[in-house]
Amino acid sequence: MSRRALRRLRGEQRGQEPLGPDALQFDLLDDDDTEEEGPKQGLGGRHPKGAGKEGVRVNNRFELINIEDLEDDLVVNGEKSDYTQSDSVSSGNKEKAQCGNPEMKQDGDMDKAEFPEQSNASGKLRKKKKKQKNKKNCTGESSENGLEDIDRILERIEDSSGFSHPGPPPLNSRKHVLYVEHRHLNPDTELKRYFGARAVLGEQRPRQRQRVYPKCTWLTTPKSTWPRYSKPGLSMRLLESKKGLSFFAFEHSEEYQQAQHKFLMAVESMEPNNIVVLLQTSPYHVDSLLQLSDACRFQEDQEMARDLIERALYSMECAFHPLFSLTSGTCRLDYRRPENRSFYLALYKQMSFLEKRGCPRTALEYCKLILSLEPDEDPLCMLLLIDHLALRARNYEYLIRLFQDWEAHRNLSQLPNFAFSVPLAYFLLSQQTDLPEHELTSARQQASLLIQQALTMFPGALMPLLECCSVRPDAAVSSHRFFGPDAEISQPPALSQLVSLYLGRSHFLWKEPAIMSWLEENVREVLQAVDAGDPVVEACESRRKVLYQRAPRNIHRHVILSEIKEAVAALPSDVTTQSVMGFDPLPPLDTIYSYVRPERLSPVSHGNTIALFFRSLLPNYTTEGERLEEGVAGGPNRNQVLNRLMLAVRDMMANFHFNDLEVPQEDNPEGEGDWD
């Protein structure tokens, strides 16, 4: 078969003569053609007898940058061609020579040239690809070495100058106990593990195609039903960075401050519709979303309440500082600043919804995130909840590690929830069959030791726990002085509140028969130690009387947010008599105000007769929605105004005498007179 017929079978056509010696042309020729046509020509040169006409002409000077993709993807009549790149570029020849690739044959003998079949052509193509890969490796290794050298130089410069970015430091090989994983912040990740991706994402896929939100967020997924996002005036700034920690604070612009003032007026009016009107003009005002979410939850509209919380989180995440990290555990937000509290409360409410939704693993990540924002002060007292979420998520190793790392400086064993949850985690860990035998035995022994210490320290928790689990204790246990009714009555009120909080939240974790039998064994061991006169029992009794005199304010705040009836009933009277707002429950006494709410003095001309009358009696009286304040959360509240008003009215009525009034007598009983 002639060469012309083979070219036609391959789809090669003649035509398109070269433009001239000045034109920039690159030819991709066959190996066979190169052997036939003799030595290669220079860049842009013309081959003799029109041999360059059969090659692939590339008139774009930048098209040869990805010549390997051109060779792999070039298809002629449905099959890959065996074109090769010409060696006209001198730099390519130098690289081939350095990598040790053999040179191309240049034979002028056209009679001895053979035209192989397609199998031979594919074999040649493989050889050429190997050569190009070797060429890539040589250049790639040199570039990687160059990048490594640059990184080393930068590290030396940073070490010598001592300059470091204010962001979080790099993590060690062992992650911090407050490290948060991004993938566990999405509840869909946990739901996919339970129900499969098809069941979770089945309805969301068509909605995601219509989504037009440009910003990617970790805490929530924007929905198409939300109002179009526009910056509400909320931002975050970096206050300082020291000792590897970065301190941030949210800020309100003037426009956002005006919306905040309107929101406070709407809250004082006791009318949720006023908050709805405010959200129509400011759809991403955080405090309004939090307060309206509580109103929807009280009306048992859980779906709308959760949607409002997600919108609040989305608004605050869009305002994050570029250096603020959710996962590192080194970013701090001061709870004393009112602007930061909204983020705490939004995270807590979202965590509560996730727990009720059946996503304890995701709720655990949110709990760690809240705790990492201010772990020393712990304003929402997340240490009273993190053990419960870890047990529900079956993350026993994390709970044990947190207890081991923080027991030395936080005394976690003095909290009833940790005193009972950690031995329960050890026991549940000993029930797993995929661990070695010595680890199971060690975990069982540690569980028994810790539960005996918990029962000795908190004997008043045993009988309520058995009652919550619907278990009737043995007569020897219920009638004993150590675990009897006197143990529950004699414990301090603050301790009773902590025990009620733990049992109201986690009692169902103890209902398994294996756990109850293990608990019964250790109760008998404790009774034997008590009867033997162990000095540890007396030491624990004296410690209970000293440590649990009064619960701090953050525990009261946590009890209010938890809404557990047994714990709320145990709150002291000075807390229950205060007015608690859902957007800011029990604010700190040392609040740091960044701006002051202006005084609102309504003109006398706009007041009605009754308002003018009461204002004349009490100068501080204001109508509904009006109030004189010194700060954002300061000034007299509604109850104080009403109390002062009642006192003024009572004093006025006490000094009033009906005898001072002159009542005209009726001269004309038949109705004839001057009285209208």
Side-chain angles (χ1 to χ4, degrees):
M1 185 180 294
S2 63
R3 288 175 292 177
R4 183 179 299 175
L6 282 175
R7 290 193 184 97
R8 289 181 179 178
L9 286 176
R10 294 178 183 175
E12 301 172 4
Q13 298 179 359
R14 294 181 180 272
Q16 295 184 356
E17 295 291 335
L19 297 177
D22 298 331
L24 182 62
Q25 298 173 352
F26 301 133
D27 296 340
L28 300 180
L29 301 176
D30 254 334
D31 282 346
D32 302 330
D33 293 339
T34 56
E35 292 178 1
E36 294 171 5
E37 306 301 339
K40 300 171 194 153
Q41 303 296 323
L43 186 64
R46 182 179 296 183
H47 291 271
K49 298 182 181 179
K53 300 174 185 176
E54 291 83 14
V56 177
R57 296 191 185 280
V58 183
N59 293 325
N60 185 0
R61 67 183 67 186
F62 301 104
E63 197 165 345
L64 285 182
I65 294 177
N66 297 324
I67 190 64
E68 299 168 6
D69 299 335
L70 182 63
E71 286 183 353
D72 295 339
D73 298 336
L74 191 59
V75 177
V76 180
N77 293 334
E79 297 179 359
K80 290 186 178 180
S81 63
D82 56 345
Y83 292 130
T84 57
Q85 181 181 0
S86 62
D87 296 330
S88 57
V89 183
S90 60
S91 62
N93 294 332
K94 291 181 181 179
E95 291 177 356
K96 288 185 179 180
Q98 291 175 358
C99 295
N101 291 334
E103 295 181 354
M104 297 289 294
K105 292 182 180 180
Q106 298 182 356
D107 257 346
D109 192 0
M110 300 178 61
D111 296 333
K112 295 182 180 180
E114 296 180 357
F115 296 94
E117 297 179 2
Q118 191 165 350
S119 60
N120 297 333
S122 62
K124 285 186 177 182
L125 184 60
R126 292 193 193 98
K127 292 180 180 179
K128 295 165 192 170
K129 286 184 177 180
K130 288 182 181 178
K131 295 176 183 178
Q132 292 167 358
K133 286 181 181 178
N134 294 333
K135 176 182 174 182
K136 272 181 163 183
N137 293 335
C138 293
T139 57
E141 289 176 0
S142 60
S143 62
E144 289 178 0
N145 294 333
L147 291 176
E148 290 179 0
D149 295 339
I150 294 174
D151 293 338
R152 291 174 183 172
I153 293 172
L154 291 176
E155 289 178 0
R156 292 173 185 172
I157 294 174
E158 290 183 358
D159 295 339
S160 60
S161 61
F163 175 77
S164 61
H165 295 284
L171 295 174
N172 299 328
S173 59
R174 187 184 183 188
K175 296 179 181 178
H176 194 265
V177 290
L178 297 181
Y179 179 82
V180 179
E181 299 185 17
H182 273 141
R183 61 189 183 95
H184 288 306
L185 289 174
N186 188 1
D188 292 341
T189 304
E190 188 171 3
L191 293 175
K192 288 176 190 176
R193 189 176 60 190
Y194 296 150
F195 307 106
R198 188 182 297 262
V200 176
L201 300 178
E203 299 179 357
Q204 298 182 8
R205 286 172 182 170
R207 295 180 183 177
Q208 290 178 356
R209 295 175 183 172
Q210 300 175 1
R211 193 176 67 189
V212 294
Y213 295 92
K215 188 174 181 60
C216 178
T217 55
W218 292 106
L219 296 176
T220 57
T221 302
K223 299 179 182 179
S224 58
T225 56
W226 292 356
R228 185 174 181 179
Y229 179 78
S230 59
K231 293 184 178 180
L234 189 65
S235 61
M236 179 185 284
R237 67 186 177 96
L238 176 64
L239 299 178
E240 60 177 345
S241 180
K242 61 180 180 180
K243 297 180 180 179
L245 301 177
S246 301
F247 296 86
F248 297 87
F250 283 96
E251 286 187 334
H252 295 172
S253 64
E254 294 183 0
E255 180 182 359
Y256 198 93
Q257 292 179 17
Q258 297 297 327
Q260 186 73 12
H261 300 332
K262 294 179 182 178
F263 163 73
L264 295 176
M265 293 172 54
V267 170
E268 294 166 4
S269 67
M270 305 289 182
E271 182 59 42
N273 292 331
N274 294 338
I275 301 179
V276 176
V277 173
L278 176 60
L279 285 176
Q280 291 178 356
T281 57
S282 302
Y284 286 93
H285 184 259
V286 177
D287 287 342
S288 300
L289 294 171
L290 296 178
Q291 189 71 18
L292 188 60
S293 174
D294 288 341
C296 294
R297 187 166 52 86
F298 293 150
Q299 297 176 1
E300 297 183 356
D301 191 355
Q302 302 294 331
E303 187 66 26
M304 178 59 69
R306 186 171 66 248
D307 185 79
L308 292 172
I309 294 298
E310 291 179 357
R311 200 200 300 183
L313 284 175
Y314 178 74
S315 176
M316 303 198 80
E317 189 172 1
C318 291
F320 280 175
H321 192 274
L323 297 178
F324 185 79
S325 174
L326 292 172
T327 60
S328 64
T330 59
C331 297
R332 300 289 184 263
L333 285 176
D334 193 350
Y335 192 80
R336 295 176 299 173
R337 297 180 179 272
E339 298 86 354
N340 296 340
R341 296 175 201 163
S342 303
F343 188 57
Y344 279 89
L345 296 173
L347 290 175
Y348 187 92
K349 294 177 186 297
Q350 177 71 354
M351 177 193 64
S352 301
F353 282 123
L354 290 171
E355 183 186 3
K356 295 176 182 177
R357 193 180 176 185
C359 302
R361 184 67 182 87
T362 310
L364 176 61
E365 294 299 315
Y366 273 82
C367 185
K368 291 194 293 183
L369 175 57
I370 299 173
L371 184 58
S372 67
L373 295 177
E374 199 170 357
D376 295 332
E377 299 295 333
D378 195 9
L380 299 186
C381 211
M382 302 310 297
L383 288 177
L384 299 178
L385 177 61
I386 193 170
D387 61 305
H388 170 74
L389 295 176
L391 289 176
R392 284 202 59 190
R394 299 181 180 180
N395 198 348
Y396 312 128
E397 295 84 356
Y398 173 77
L399 178 58
I400 294 172
R401 182 189 168 196
L402 176 64
F403 179 77
Q404 293 174 350
D405 292 351
W406 284 23
E407 169 62 18
H409 65 283
R410 299 295 292 268
N411 293 326
L412 298 181
S413 59
Q414 304 304 314
L415 295 174
N417 58 313
F418 269 94
F420 284 91
S421 295
V422 173
L424 181 59
Y426 272 111
F427 177 78
L428 294 175
L429 194 63
S430 67
Q431 300 297 309
Q432 297 181 359
T433 58
D434 55 345
L435 295 178
E437 186 64 27
H438 67 280
E439 292 186 7
L440 297 178
T441 304
S442 176
R444 181 66 179 263
Q445 294 176 356
Q446 189 70 13
S448 300
L449 176 63
L450 291 177
I451 194 61
Q452 292 176 18
Q453 294 178 1
L455 292 172
T456 306
M457 184 65 189
F458 308 106
L462 178 62
M463 300 306 295
L465 175 60
L466 297 178
E467 184 179 356
C468 292
C469 297
S470 302
V471 175
R472 180 177 297 178
D474 192 0
V477 177
S478 59
S479 60
H480 198 279
R481 60 176 179 82
F482 190 71
F483 289 117
D486 294 339
E488 185 178 358
I489 297 173
S490 61
Q491 62 186 3
L495 180 58
S496 299
Q497 184 178 4
L498 292 176
V499 172
S500 301
L501 181 66
Y502 173 69
L503 296 180
R505 176 179 284 153
S506 305
H507 68 274
F508 63 91
L509 298 174
W510 295 80
K511 287 186 175 182
E512 296 184 8
I515 297 176
M516 277 297 165
S517 61
W518 165 70
L519 180 62
E520 182 181 1
E521 296 175 1
N522 291 278
V523 167
R524 296 186 183 278
E525 293 290 335
V526 172
L527 287 179
Q528 292 178 5
V530 172
D531 295 337
D534 193 345
V536 178
V537 178
E538 295 182 1
C540 291
E541 183 177 358
S542 60
R543 196 184 307 167
R544 284 196 302 271
K545 295 179 181 179
V546 174
L547 294 179
Y548 306 98
Q549 294 295 328
R550 178 176 175 82
R553 194 174 181 85
N554 59 343
I555 292 182
H556 294 159
R557 190 181 297 117
H558 178 87
V559 171
I560 292 174
L561 290 174
S562 65
E563 298 180 355
I564 297 176
K565 297 179 180 179
E566 298 82 0
V568 173
L571 285 173
S573 59
D574 59 340
V575 177
T576 55
T577 55
Q578 297 181 16
S579 58
V580 178
M581 297 297 178
F583 67 94
D584 191 8
L586 295 182
L589 301 178
D590 54 347
T591 301
I592 301 175
Y593 295 110
S594 57
Y595 60 93
V596 179
R597 183 183 177 185
E599 296 183 356
R600 300 190 69 257
L601 296 175
S602 59
V604 179
S605 59
H606 291 85
N608 52 24
T609 306
I610 299 177
L612 293 175
F613 170 71
F614 284 116
R615 188 177 290 111
S616 64
L617 298 176
L618 185 64
N620 290 333
Y621 171 78
T622 55
T623 58
E624 187 175 7
E626 300 174 355
R627 178 166 142 195
L628 299 177
E629 294 196 10
E630 299 176 356
V632 177
N637 57 20
R638 183 185 180 89
N639 296 331
Q640 294 175 349
V641 171
L642 293 177
N643 291 335
R644 293 177 183 177
L645 177 63
M646 294 301 297
L647 291 175
V649 172
R650 187 180 62 182
D651 295 340
M652 180 188 69
M653 296 301 294
N655 298 326
F656 182 79
H657 300 284
F658 287 95
N659 297 331
D660 297 338
L661 295 177
E662 295 182 358
V663 181
Q665 297 181 358
E666 187 176 356
D667 296 335
N668 189 359
E670 296 180 359
E672 297 179 0
D674 298 334
W675 292 97
D676 294 333

